[in-house]
Every structure is written in structure tokens, then in C-alpha cells.
Amino acid sequence: MSCWRVHNNIWSSSLGVAFGAHTVTASYQRNNGNNDFDYLRQADSIYLNNSIQYSDFNSPKEQSWMLRYDLNMAEYGIPGLTFMTRYARGWAPITATRTRCTCAKTITVRR
């Protein structure tokens, strides 16, 4: 009898600095497993620092980093308005000599 085994070991870490209305955050994520990190119970999101709408950076052996900037406009007299932009880049080995790279850029304004 054959058995399909999922081996996954994924982690992420972030560090942010806030000064007034501004916040800058850098994060790193790594999947050491041999499989994609899958969504639990078909949920619409996974809780990893670099998991964003257009790319989750959760493929086997994939690594990624992200730089994010947030601006809270309440400091400037507009409560409830926020601005966020981020850039993320991921890479994973395809073969011993080739690597696949993925980038994602997001700009969000919310009120």
C-alpha cells in the first residue's frame, strides 16, 4: 500500500519600526518542505507574513522577503484613511542549476 506523505516546515518572521504616522516592516519567509503550504479547510487565507493576494510564496523550497510601508493619515487630520504599499520577491529552485523568481507589488488606500 502506498501512502502520499505531506512534508512541510514553513516559517516567517517580520520586524517593523513605527515613527509617528509611518511604519516600515521587513519580513522573510521560507518553506523547507517538499510540498506547497496548503490552505487549511479550504479557507481563503493562510497566516504567513509574505502571504499576499497575488502570490503566497508558499511553494516547495521557496524563500521570500517583503518590504512594506504604512501611513496612517489620522496624524494628518484624516482619521480612518490609511495608505499601504509593499514589494515582495520570492525564489525557489526548479533544478539544481535553475531558480524561479516571483515578484508582487501592491498599493492600497483604505477609508
Side-chain angles (χ1 to χ4, degrees), residues 1-71:
M1 178 165 116
S2 68
C3 176
W4 185 70
R5 180 175 286 181
V6 174
H7 169 71
N8 229 319
N9 178 4
I10 193 166
W11 60 273
S12 62
S13 179
S14 68
L15 178 65
V17 176
F19 46 98
H22 312 275
T23 303
V24 176
T25 305
S27 60
Y28 177 78
Q29 179 173 303
R30 183 177 186 137
N31 183 355
N32 295 319
N34 296 323
N35 306 95
D36 288 342
F37 185 80
D38 208 357
Y39 295 89
L40 302 174
R41 299 181 187 227
Q42 301 301 318
D44 63 352
S45 184
I46 54 178
Y47 298 101
L48 295 165
N49 288 323
N50 294 357
S51 175
I52 57 180
Q53 183 177 2
Y54 302 109
S55 186
D56 291 331
F57 302 107
N58 63 352
S59 295
K61 307 293 184 201
E62 188 167 22
Q63 300 175 61
S64 62
W65 62 265
M66 181 172 62
L67 188 61
R68 175 176 169 155
Y69 170 74
D70 292 271
L71 177 63

